[in-house]
Amino acid sequence: MKCLLIASESAEVLFHWSDREYRQNIQEKYGVSQEEGEGLPAFEDILSTLFAPIIISCSTLEDSYTSFTTENNHIYVLHQFDECLYIAVNGDGEEKEDDLRRKLYVLKKMVEVMFGMVTLSGNLLRRELRPQDTEQRARLWKYLQSLLETYSLLRENDQSFLVEAVERLIHPQLCELCIEFLERRLVQQLNSSVERAGEEVLHAFVLVHTKLLAFYSSRNASILSPSDLLALIVMAQNMYPSNVDLDDMSPEDTESTSGSGPENFYTPEPSPSSRSSSSSGKAGRGETPVFEFVDPEIQMAEDSLHTLEINPPDPASPRRVFLEVSHKDGPFPMMPHSMYCLSLWPGITLVLLTKISSSALAISVYKYLEEFDKLEKRLHEGHGGPASARSPLNMQDIRSKMDKFIKSLEPHDLQYAQLQNVWAEFKSRAFSRGGSGFNKDLIPWCKNMKTQLCGIYRQCFLTGSLSADVTHRLSAGLQERAQAMVREKLVDWKDFLLVKSKRNITMDFPGLVHFICVDRATGQMIAPSLNITERTTSELGKGPVAKYIKNKVWALVRTTRRYLQKGYSTVTLRDGDFYFCYFLWFENETGYKLQPVEIPVLPDDSPPIGMLAYDYYNRLLRYCSKSHKGENVKCYELLTVHLGVIPTEIILQHCRQLASKLWEPSRNPLLWRQTRLRHSSKGQGQMLFTPLEPQRRGQIPGLGFILLNKHWDVQKAFRTGQRLEVVQTP
Amino acid sequence: MAELKSPDTRRCRYFFLYDGSKVRGEGDPTRDGICYFYPEETPMDKQDLLCGQLAGVGRCVSELSSSAVRILRLRRCKFAIRMKDDFFWALGCSMDVPTVSVCELLDHLINLFCFYNGSVRQSYQLNSKETLAAEWARYLSHVLSGPSELHYILQSVRTLDLTNVDPLLLLKAALILQACQRCPLVLAGCVLFRGRVVSTQMPPQLTIKVMVHETETYTKTQRSSGTSSPTSDSRPVSSTAVFLTPSELQYLQSAPVDKISSSHSAPEKDAPPKKTRLSRTLSDTPSSESTPSRPASCQSPQRASFSPHTSGSEDSVFSPAPSQGSSADSPNSSPPSPIHRFSYGRNAHQVEGRTPDESHCRNLHTGGSGVSQMLSEGDGSAFEESLHLNRGAASKTTDCGNVAFRDEKTAAGDGGVCCRKLRGHKAEMRQPPSGSCSFDSLEESPLVSMVLYVHRVNSLVLALLVEPRFMGDSASMEEVNHSSLASLNGLEAHLRAISPAAPGAAGPYLFAHYDSVQSTLTTNVSGRPGGAPEHPFVRATSLLHSHFFDTETLQEAIIRSAGTAVYGTRTVAQETYFQQHGGSMRNSGIPNQQDSAFSLPSKARHRLLKHGVNLL
């Protein structure tokens, strides 16, 4: 009994997803009020009819609804993102209010990754999310629906999506090997090939299921944020699902993915979730060791309502994704990239992210959008225009830049002409003598300009991105070669990696049942696996006990988030036979524990605490840095589950040991305290290097550390013999 | 004290009752459906908007989910919702009040209305909106008049500060109630002093309902006559019709009351519940199962010496018997005046005050071994500001008690209305309609009409729930009056003599101990203005309370922010919250055995012992 929908203010359904129970429920509700004999209208129209009173009421009330709970515990969560109202419903008790809110935010994030700045214009987004062409609409919705289902499955089963941090495979040698290969062989070769068609590989990473084996960013690339990386993992998982659920299947089912058995397409039992059937097909396809690109669209399971046959688009076409880029002028959200997702073996995937040739345009569009947004706000507030001395907006400057920008565009399509017209109109109203000048009358024109800019952006980066635009992408042959290269490199490690991904880390504390450690500065987590299936055992054993503990861990994370939201950074709970601890603390680079700051108390309907849809920790770190000026603040979290009979002192001792041990380099280099590189003007690095304890300073090997941000430069510098200045942070 | 504050706007933003049946057609204005809206000064347009939108959306969601909406949240306000027939209640509170508490408050509010007015639908058929609006306002202000935010989160019966009350007085109160119960028409009762419970035989929720009436009367008296010196205007005996839910009635009747032989029943009443008591409540903390034998030996002499003394003194002071003139310290101790006949008819009965029979009083005090048991309990709980419950409360922990509460929470309902505000003929017309359904209409349980009999002696009040025919049965009334009056007078004098305890200097810690069986709250949180340092504690308590409510298996929790660490623990019957002041928060949030937060459980155990809270 789950449902999720996006509606416009006029109660038009822009997207919906629901499971079979909910669909039946809604159809029955609707059927009762309808005449006999008439066929049911499209499901989205039924939803629109039934939800209309809620949607319309939302825009009537000044203080908007955030949730409803009924006596039979149906939960409705609502959130207005700009002009779109998102509603999530649960009627089976499996999700709580915060889960639903998180789902809304994740959907929003996915929409942003897919549509970029088009989301900034309500009008354009509406058209984008609900294409006129029903076939196109069905295809798009199915893709989004399967993304949502993939996300939900990951959130319910994968600890890294529970805490929203990336999990690394802990094997330093292999990581190093792999990263070196990505850098020296793969990316270098790709970027020097003529077949890359103007694209440049910025990031390359290898995923083993959802865990990261190696991540390489090219020198020109900016940091890939944890939020974006997590979103990309969801997309990769959606394309090549690692069978989290496979373990639950019967033995003959799994053979097709075991890697040794004959290719064996199985048919799972029909289930309301369309994912299982799609995963089987993909798993089977992934078997064939030759290059094969499977577009996600054709993998989408049949929906009971829409059974359209979709022509598979060109399999070699990448997916357009919009990711945040940090530039020297600051961060730019939603910059266009192409994502190539190449399956190496079932469960192991190579992902390439490329910069597309015209991406500079996106930065300009974003800058102008911001300018017009600022102007609009000022006009709303009733401030004067550029004439007033207080105005920080230099409209004349913007004017000339904008003129140049428009000239630089290719003047051959309709969108261009529209932008030019609107800009001309804007100028005549704003700058000319006869115009109204900078007052409230200009607001609609500001809006119009923004819409036009979004339109240009859409024109450049969205239309055609999904179609077979062969000229602007890595050629199929090049992709095939890349895939073959990595395959060859990793072939001996393949089975090891798949096993390793299930047994990443073990622990040796008597009485400790489970733990999760998260480094929030880098968005990485580490935890013993929690596979709870009949046939595989984890550190927790198997069967109902493991399932019980898993549920407890999931509940604990929800609970601690609730407390964190209200400003509590330490929580211990005695619950049933278990004792749970949660700690969040800050350190500087040297590992010194920083004085705690009062963590802001947030309202109940604030964005979910996590990193995927909304980077709460990034904001927390920035907030904390304010009171620790000049320090590179780190934030760590530790969750533990102990048996309740263990004395509290011992439990705390364990927690303390875990907190320090897990970040010891020998144990887990991936979580090694990050070194930080500051680019000096000569392009040479100045390294601020401070390991855990001063005496360990000599130990930093640099090599093999695969870091998610600029820090990769350090190791690269080491290897290339670049001079690095080691400076102790004050 | 019991003065009614105007509802705290920070806690309660809105309360309204909307009758959807009045707005059926397209042209019907929304305001026709608004039965009551708080704050009353809200512009009509805004009232229309809120009522119309919330009720409309509520109906839409209810249809989608085939179930009534219970909670509706806006960004800055959360509403508990009740939907019944065409009625739509909404109580909107600020976001920091726990959701569970908001729901409880609304249910309580509706239950109060039904307790005094009977069925909501019928009340609105028979009375004007304005009349009933005044009723709602009255109950709302009562519900929101808790002394501190804590009382708002943990709904509790307000009890006498027992730290400076002689336990024997509590015993005396209990005995008065028992004596009254000898009359078969008396269901149960409670003794209140200055708006606080001294002793009660009723379950907490019912006691709270009864107290609304009393508190109001008391407040009126206060206002009309300055400080505690009721004028002749205050009538010593009054009565009002009330409506019990079937479960409440069943509970009261199921108590093992031997209505014929009064003296023998006393020990039986107390003994069984003691064995089944689940909680480590105040009263049984020091007196474990084995102790009842102890007081029998060591306290009986005390009682023996006490009882003649007190009864003697009270008789001498308060009885109209002209034997003593030493009533100088109690100028208002007039002989019980005749019961006033109420203007509205048959519920009012004139009963002549009678001189209390002294020997009768004595009999009461030596009413059996139950007495000694009461004493031992009284001793143990003497340090608490807690309700000293006798039979009623104790047996509540038996199976029927909690069930009764559950029902009661959702119960509100139909029935006639017979309250002071009504004209007499109306009251007569409206007998509780037997077929009408109550709020929890699933059970189709009609409300049962009863009468609340109130006997006031200055600030002391004896409130009894009696069968309606009690008021027509002069013999019964006389019996009750006989058995209680002298003792009431004596009790009043003693209680009045107790100087109000000076608000104790806040210790180096804050705590709140909630007994969920007896609905009592023991705390040193004052709720005084300028209680800002207490706010973090209240906030943490509110969060933990919600958490305990949601997670059945959770036993204890420590939560800490940069500046505050609060420990919470609970059992089936109680919740305790503790915060230690000071103690520098040197540690940085990393796991650390030296962290002062982790010593909170042991500190709480030690510190709270002297408040009678046993966490061992």
Side-chain angles (χ1 to χ4, degrees), chain A residues 29 57 66-67 69 71-72 74 76 97 563 567 569-570 572 574-575 585 593-594 605 656, chain B residues 53 63 65-68 70-71 73 75-76 82 547 553 555-558 560-561 588 590-591:
Chain A
K29 288 255 153 28
S57 183
T66 61
S67 77
T69 311
E71 278 172 7
N72 59 356
H74 284 207
Y76 295 67
E97 200 180 316
Y563 283 116
S569 57
T570 301
T572 68
R574 185 177 296 282
D575 185 347
W585 71 96
K593 316 290 184 274
L594 299 175
D605 67 319
R656 193 169 174 74
Chain B
Q53 294 299 323
E63 277 166 15
S65 286
S66 319
S67 169
R70 190 75 186 93
I71 301 148
R73 284 197 186 82
R75 295 199 61 222
R76 288 182 289 276
R82 272 295 178 198
H547 192 188
T553 48
Q555 297 146 36
E556 56 176 50
I558 300 168
R560 66 172 297 155
S561 59
S588 50
I590 50 147

Short mmCIF file of all heavy atoms in Angstrom, two decimals, chain A residues 29 57 66-67 69 71-72 74 76 97 563 567 569-570 572 574-575 585 593-594 605 656, chain B residues 53 63 65-68 70-71 73 75-76 82 547 553 555-558 560-561 588 590-591:
data_model
loop_
_atom_site.label_atom_id
_atom_site.label_comp_id
_atom_site.label_asym_id
_atom_site.label_seq_id
_atom_site.Cartn_x
_atom_site.Cartn_y
_atom_site.Cartn_z
N LYS A 29 -11.91 2.42 -4.96
CA LYS A 29 -12.51 3.66 -4.45
C LYS A 29 -13.18 4.42 -5.59
O LYS A 29 -14.27 4.93 -5.46
CB LYS A 29 -11.42 4.56 -3.86
CG LYS A 29 -10.87 4.08 -2.58
CD LYS A 29 -11.39 4.88 -1.43
CE LYS A 29 -11.43 4.12 -0.14
NZ LYS A 29 -10.46 3.05 0.02
N SER A 57 -6.36 22.34 -1.79
CA SER A 57 -6.34 22.92 -0.45
C SER A 57 -4.93 23.37 -0.06
O SER A 57 -4.75 24.33 0.67
CB SER A 57 -6.86 21.90 0.56
OG SER A 57 -6.91 22.47 1.84
N THR A 66 1.97 19.27 5.98
CA THR A 66 3.16 18.43 5.86
C THR A 66 2.83 16.95 6.00
O THR A 66 3.51 16.12 5.42
CB THR A 66 4.24 18.80 6.89
OG1 THR A 66 3.69 18.62 8.20
CG2 THR A 66 4.68 20.23 6.74
N SER A 67 1.80 16.62 6.77
CA SER A 67 1.46 15.20 6.84
C SER A 67 0.07 14.99 7.43
O SER A 67 -0.46 15.85 8.14
CB SER A 67 2.48 14.43 7.68
OG SER A 67 2.26 14.67 9.05
N THR A 69 -2.14 11.64 9.34
CA THR A 69 -2.15 10.25 9.79
C THR A 69 -3.59 9.89 10.08
O THR A 69 -4.31 10.66 10.71
CB THR A 69 -1.33 10.09 11.08
OG1 THR A 69 -0.06 10.72 10.88
CG2 THR A 69 -1.10 8.63 11.40
N GLU A 71 -6.60 6.98 11.44
CA GLU A 71 -6.70 6.06 12.58
C GLU A 71 -6.22 4.66 12.23
O GLU A 71 -5.77 3.94 13.11
CB GLU A 71 -8.15 6.04 13.08
CG GLU A 71 -8.40 7.21 14.01
CD GLU A 71 -9.84 7.40 14.41
OE1 GLU A 71 -10.67 6.54 14.09
OE2 GLU A 71 -10.13 8.42 15.05
N ASN A 72 -6.32 4.28 10.98
CA ASN A 72 -5.76 2.96 10.63
C ASN A 72 -4.31 3.08 10.16
O ASN A 72 -3.80 2.23 9.45
CB ASN A 72 -6.63 2.28 9.56
CG ASN A 72 -6.73 3.11 8.29
OD1 ASN A 72 -6.22 4.22 8.23
ND2 ASN A 72 -7.36 2.57 7.28
N HIS A 74 -2.64 5.02 8.11
CA HIS A 74 -2.16 5.43 6.80
C HIS A 74 -1.45 6.77 7.00
O HIS A 74 -1.93 7.62 7.75
CB HIS A 74 -3.33 5.63 5.84
CG HIS A 74 -3.90 4.34 5.34
ND1 HIS A 74 -4.53 4.23 4.13
CD2 HIS A 74 -3.93 3.11 5.90
CE1 HIS A 74 -4.93 2.99 3.97
NE2 HIS A 74 -4.59 2.28 5.02
N TYR A 76 0.29 10.10 5.14
CA TYR A 76 0.45 10.93 3.95
C TYR A 76 1.49 11.99 4.27
O TYR A 76 1.36 12.68 5.28
CB TYR A 76 -0.85 11.65 3.59
CG TYR A 76 -2.00 10.75 3.19
CD1 TYR A 76 -2.59 9.91 4.10
CD2 TYR A 76 -2.49 10.77 1.89
CE1 TYR A 76 -3.65 9.09 3.74
CE2 TYR A 76 -3.54 9.95 1.51
CZ TYR A 76 -4.11 9.12 2.44
OH TYR A 76 -5.16 8.31 2.08
N GLU A 97 6.79 8.28 8.81
CA GLU A 97 6.69 9.59 8.18
C GLU A 97 8.03 10.07 7.61
O GLU A 97 8.09 10.59 6.51
CB GLU A 97 6.19 10.58 9.23
CG GLU A 97 5.59 11.81 8.63
CD GLU A 97 5.10 12.77 9.68
OE1 GLU A 97 4.47 12.32 10.65
OE2 GLU A 97 5.36 13.97 9.54
N TYR A 563 16.75 12.27 16.98
CA TYR A 563 17.39 13.00 18.07
C TYR A 563 18.40 14.02 17.54
O TYR A 563 18.51 15.12 18.05
CB TYR A 563 18.08 12.04 19.04
CG TYR A 563 17.11 11.34 19.97
CD1 TYR A 563 16.91 9.97 19.94
CD2 TYR A 563 16.35 12.08 20.88
CE1 TYR A 563 16.00 9.35 20.79
CE2 TYR A 563 15.44 11.47 21.73
CZ TYR A 563 15.27 10.10 21.68
OH TYR A 563 14.36 9.51 22.51
N GLY A 567 18.98 18.13 18.00
CA GLY A 567 20.18 18.66 18.63
C GLY A 567 20.94 17.71 19.55
O GLY A 567 21.86 18.13 20.22
N SER A 569 23.48 14.73 20.04
CA SER A 569 24.48 14.06 19.24
C SER A 569 24.97 12.78 19.90
O SER A 569 25.78 12.06 19.33
CB SER A 569 25.65 15.00 18.99
OG SER A 569 26.17 15.45 20.21
N THR A 570 24.55 12.50 21.12
CA THR A 570 24.85 11.21 21.75
C THR A 570 23.55 10.60 22.21
O THR A 570 22.74 11.27 22.85
CB THR A 570 25.78 11.39 22.96
OG1 THR A 570 26.98 12.01 22.53
CG2 THR A 570 26.10 10.06 23.61
N THR A 572 22.11 6.82 23.89
CA THR A 572 22.24 5.41 24.23
C THR A 572 20.87 4.89 24.63
O THR A 572 20.11 5.59 25.30
CB THR A 572 23.23 5.16 25.39
OG1 THR A 572 22.67 5.70 26.58
CG2 THR A 572 24.57 5.78 25.12
N ARG A 574 18.62 1.40 25.96
CA ARG A 574 18.48 -0.02 26.34
C ARG A 574 17.11 -0.45 25.84
O ARG A 574 16.08 0.03 26.27
CB ARG A 574 18.57 -0.19 27.85
CG ARG A 574 18.56 -1.64 28.28
CD ARG A 574 18.71 -1.77 29.80
NE ARG A 574 20.00 -1.29 30.27
CZ ARG A 574 21.14 -1.97 30.17
NH1 ARG A 574 21.13 -3.14 29.58
NH2 ARG A 574 22.26 -1.47 30.62
N ASP A 575 17.14 -1.34 24.88
CA ASP A 575 15.92 -1.72 24.19
C ASP A 575 15.89 -3.24 24.11
O ASP A 575 16.72 -3.85 23.45
CB ASP A 575 15.94 -1.09 22.79
CG ASP A 575 14.65 -1.33 22.03
OD1 ASP A 575 13.84 -2.16 22.48
OD2 ASP A 575 14.45 -0.69 21.00
N TRP A 585 30.64 13.15 16.54
CA TRP A 585 31.61 14.10 17.09
C TRP A 585 32.44 14.72 15.97
O TRP A 585 32.39 14.27 14.83
CB TRP A 585 32.50 13.41 18.12
CG TRP A 585 33.49 12.41 17.56
CD1 TRP A 585 34.78 12.64 17.25
CD2 TRP A 585 33.24 11.04 17.26
NE1 TRP A 585 35.36 11.49 16.78
CE2 TRP A 585 34.45 10.50 16.76
CE3 TRP A 585 32.12 10.21 17.35
CZ2 TRP A 585 34.55 9.17 16.36
CZ3 TRP A 585 32.23 8.89 16.95
CH2 TRP A 585 33.44 8.38 16.47
N LYS A 593 39.95 15.90 19.18
CA LYS A 593 38.50 16.02 19.31
C LYS A 593 38.16 17.48 19.59
O LYS A 593 38.73 18.10 20.48
CB LYS A 593 38.00 15.17 20.47
CG LYS A 593 38.61 13.77 20.53
CD LYS A 593 38.11 12.91 19.39
CE LYS A 593 38.63 11.49 19.47
NZ LYS A 593 39.95 11.31 18.85
N LEU A 594 37.25 17.98 18.83
CA LEU A 594 36.88 19.38 19.00
C LEU A 594 35.75 19.50 20.02
O LEU A 594 34.95 18.60 20.18
CB LEU A 594 36.42 19.95 17.65
CG LEU A 594 37.47 19.91 16.56
CD1 LEU A 594 36.89 20.38 15.24
CD2 LEU A 594 38.66 20.79 16.93
N ASP A 605 9.55 18.98 9.84
CA ASP A 605 9.42 18.74 8.41
C ASP A 605 10.65 19.20 7.64
O ASP A 605 10.60 19.37 6.43
CB ASP A 605 8.18 19.45 7.86
CG ASP A 605 8.34 20.96 7.93
OD1 ASP A 605 8.86 21.43 8.95
OD2 ASP A 605 7.94 21.67 6.99
N ARG A 656 34.78 3.34 22.21
CA ARG A 656 35.96 4.19 22.13
C ARG A 656 37.03 3.55 21.25
O ARG A 656 37.63 4.21 20.41
CB ARG A 656 36.50 4.42 23.54
CG ARG A 656 37.53 5.52 23.61
CD ARG A 656 37.80 5.87 25.05
NE ARG A 656 38.89 6.83 25.14
CZ ARG A 656 38.75 8.11 24.82
NH1 ARG A 656 37.59 8.56 24.40
NH2 ARG A 656 39.77 8.94 24.94
N GLN B 53 -11.07 24.30 5.08
CA GLN B 53 -9.98 23.56 4.46
C GLN B 53 -9.66 22.28 5.23
O GLN B 53 -9.54 21.22 4.66
CB GLN B 53 -8.72 24.43 4.35
CG GLN B 53 -8.86 25.62 3.43
CD GLN B 53 -9.17 25.19 2.00
OE1 GLN B 53 -8.66 24.19 1.52
NE2 GLN B 53 -10.03 25.94 1.34
N GLU B 63 -11.71 9.47 3.15
CA GLU B 63 -12.31 8.64 2.11
C GLU B 63 -11.25 7.83 1.39
O GLU B 63 -11.44 6.66 1.10
CB GLU B 63 -13.06 9.53 1.11
CG GLU B 63 -14.46 9.86 1.60
CD GLU B 63 -15.10 10.99 0.81
OE1 GLU B 63 -14.60 11.33 -0.28
OE2 GLU B 63 -16.11 11.54 1.32
N SER B 65 -8.50 6.72 2.60
CA SER B 65 -7.94 5.66 3.44
C SER B 65 -9.01 4.86 4.16
O SER B 65 -8.67 3.96 4.92
CB SER B 65 -6.98 6.27 4.47
OG SER B 65 -5.79 6.65 3.86
N SER B 66 -10.25 5.19 3.95
CA SER B 66 -11.36 4.52 4.64
C SER B 66 -11.18 4.56 6.14
O SER B 66 -11.45 3.58 6.84
CB SER B 66 -11.51 3.07 4.19
OG SER B 66 -11.32 2.94 2.82
N SER B 67 -10.69 5.66 6.63
CA SER B 67 -10.47 5.77 8.06
C SER B 67 -10.32 7.24 8.42
O SER B 67 -9.78 8.01 7.64
CB SER B 67 -9.19 5.00 8.43
OG SER B 67 -8.80 5.28 9.73
N ALA B 68 -10.80 7.57 9.60
CA ALA B 68 -10.79 8.98 9.99
C ALA B 68 -9.37 9.50 10.18
O ALA B 68 -8.48 8.76 10.60
CB ALA B 68 -11.57 9.17 11.28
N ARG B 70 -6.49 11.34 12.06
CA ARG B 70 -6.20 11.48 13.48
C ARG B 70 -5.27 12.65 13.74
O ARG B 70 -5.41 13.36 14.71
CB ARG B 70 -5.54 10.18 13.98
CG ARG B 70 -5.39 10.09 15.46
CD ARG B 70 -6.73 9.79 16.10
NE ARG B 70 -6.64 9.84 17.55
CZ ARG B 70 -6.90 10.91 18.27
NH1 ARG B 70 -7.21 12.04 17.69
NH2 ARG B 70 -6.83 10.87 19.58
N ILE B 71 -4.28 12.78 12.87
CA ILE B 71 -3.30 13.86 13.05
C ILE B 71 -3.12 14.57 11.71
O ILE B 71 -3.00 13.92 10.68
CB ILE B 71 -1.94 13.31 13.51
CG1 ILE B 71 -2.07 12.57 14.83
CG2 ILE B 71 -0.91 14.43 13.66
CD1 ILE B 71 -1.11 11.44 14.98
N ARG B 73 -0.75 17.69 10.14
CA ARG B 73 0.34 18.61 10.46
C ARG B 73 0.47 19.68 9.40
O ARG B 73 0.44 19.39 8.21
CB ARG B 73 1.66 17.85 10.54
CG ARG B 73 1.85 17.06 11.79
CD ARG B 73 3.32 16.71 11.96
NE ARG B 73 3.52 15.82 13.10
CZ ARG B 73 3.34 14.51 13.05
NH1 ARG B 73 2.97 13.95 11.93
NH2 ARG B 73 3.53 13.77 14.11
N ARG B 75 3.05 23.19 8.64
CA ARG B 75 4.48 23.41 8.88
C ARG B 75 4.73 23.95 10.28
O ARG B 75 5.72 23.61 10.90
CB ARG B 75 5.04 24.38 7.82
CG ARG B 75 4.99 23.79 6.42
CD ARG B 75 5.92 24.50 5.49
NE ARG B 75 7.29 24.40 5.95
CZ ARG B 75 8.15 25.39 5.93
NH1 ARG B 75 7.78 26.56 5.48
NH2 ARG B 75 9.38 25.23 6.35
N ARG B 76 3.82 24.78 10.76
CA ARG B 76 4.09 25.41 12.05
C ARG B 76 3.12 25.00 13.14
O ARG B 76 3.12 25.57 14.22
CB ARG B 76 4.06 26.94 11.88
CG ARG B 76 5.26 27.46 11.13
CD ARG B 76 5.24 28.97 11.02
NE ARG B 76 4.20 29.43 10.13
CZ ARG B 76 4.35 29.51 8.81
NH1 ARG B 76 5.49 29.16 8.26
NH2 ARG B 76 3.37 29.94 8.05
N ARG B 82 -10.48 14.78 15.47
CA ARG B 82 -11.48 13.77 15.72
C ARG B 82 -12.61 13.97 14.74
O ARG B 82 -13.08 15.11 14.55
CB ARG B 82 -12.03 13.88 17.16
CG ARG B 82 -11.24 13.10 18.18
CD ARG B 82 -11.35 11.64 17.91
NE ARG B 82 -10.55 10.87 18.86
CZ ARG B 82 -10.20 9.60 18.63
NH1 ARG B 82 -10.57 8.99 17.53
NH2 ARG B 82 -9.50 8.94 19.51
N HIS B 547 9.18 8.87 22.42
CA HIS B 547 9.95 7.69 22.04
C HIS B 547 9.48 6.47 22.84
O HIS B 547 9.29 5.39 22.30
CB HIS B 547 11.43 7.96 22.27
CG HIS B 547 12.33 6.93 21.65
ND1 HIS B 547 13.67 6.90 21.86
CD2 HIS B 547 12.06 5.89 20.84
CE1 HIS B 547 14.20 5.89 21.20
NE2 HIS B 547 13.24 5.27 20.57
N THR B 553 9.56 -1.69 23.60
CA THR B 553 10.63 -2.42 24.23
C THR B 553 11.70 -1.53 24.85
O THR B 553 12.59 -2.02 25.51
CB THR B 553 11.32 -3.34 23.20
OG1 THR B 553 11.59 -2.55 22.03
CG2 THR B 553 10.43 -4.50 22.83
N GLN B 555 13.63 0.56 27.29
CA GLN B 555 13.60 0.65 28.75
C GLN B 555 14.27 1.91 29.27
O GLN B 555 13.79 2.54 30.20
CB GLN B 555 14.30 -0.56 29.36
CG GLN B 555 13.62 -1.87 29.05
CD GLN B 555 14.61 -3.00 28.88
OE1 GLN B 555 15.61 -3.07 29.56
NE2 GLN B 555 14.33 -3.89 27.96
N GLU B 556 15.42 2.24 28.70
CA GLU B 556 16.04 3.46 29.18
C GLU B 556 16.82 4.13 28.06
O GLU B 556 17.20 3.50 27.08
CB GLU B 556 16.94 3.20 30.39
CG GLU B 556 18.03 2.16 30.16
CD GLU B 556 18.94 2.04 31.38
OE1 GLU B 556 18.42 1.90 32.48
OE2 GLU B 556 20.17 2.10 31.20
N ALA B 557 17.05 5.40 28.24
CA ALA B 557 17.73 6.15 27.20
C ALA B 557 18.50 7.30 27.83
O ALA B 557 18.07 7.87 28.84
CB ALA B 557 16.71 6.70 26.20
N ILE B 558 19.64 7.59 27.26
CA ILE B 558 20.38 8.80 27.64
C ILE B 558 20.56 9.59 26.36
O ILE B 558 21.01 9.05 25.35
CB ILE B 558 21.76 8.47 28.22
CG1 ILE B 558 21.62 7.61 29.47
CG2 ILE B 558 22.55 9.73 28.52
CD1 ILE B 558 22.94 6.99 29.93
N ARG B 560 22.12 13.32 24.83
CA ARG B 560 22.86 14.51 25.21
C ARG B 560 23.10 15.40 24.02
O ARG B 560 23.36 14.95 22.91
CB ARG B 560 24.18 14.16 25.89
CG ARG B 560 25.14 13.48 24.95
CD ARG B 560 26.49 13.32 25.57
NE ARG B 560 27.07 14.59 25.87
CZ ARG B 560 27.97 14.79 26.80
NH1 ARG B 560 28.39 13.78 27.52
NH2 ARG B 560 28.48 15.97 26.99
N SER B 561 22.99 16.66 24.30
CA SER B 561 23.40 17.65 23.30
C SER B 561 24.66 18.27 23.86
O SER B 561 25.23 17.78 24.83
CB SER B 561 22.30 18.69 23.12
OG SER B 561 22.05 19.33 24.35
N SER B 588 33.87 15.59 24.26
CA SER B 588 33.52 16.19 22.98
C SER B 588 32.51 15.37 22.19
O SER B 588 32.33 15.59 21.02
CB SER B 588 34.79 16.34 22.17
OG SER B 588 35.48 15.10 22.17
N ILE B 590 32.71 12.14 21.74
CA ILE B 590 33.22 10.82 21.40
C ILE B 590 32.88 9.86 22.53
O ILE B 590 32.65 10.28 23.66
CB ILE B 590 34.75 10.82 21.19
CG1 ILE B 590 35.41 11.50 22.39
CG2 ILE B 590 35.14 11.47 19.90
CD1 ILE B 590 36.74 10.93 22.70
N PRO B 591 32.85 8.58 22.23
CA PRO B 591 32.58 7.61 23.30
C PRO B 591 33.64 7.74 24.39
O PRO B 591 34.83 7.73 24.09
CB PRO B 591 32.70 6.27 22.59
CG PRO B 591 32.56 6.56 21.15
CD PRO B 591 33.04 7.95 20.94
#
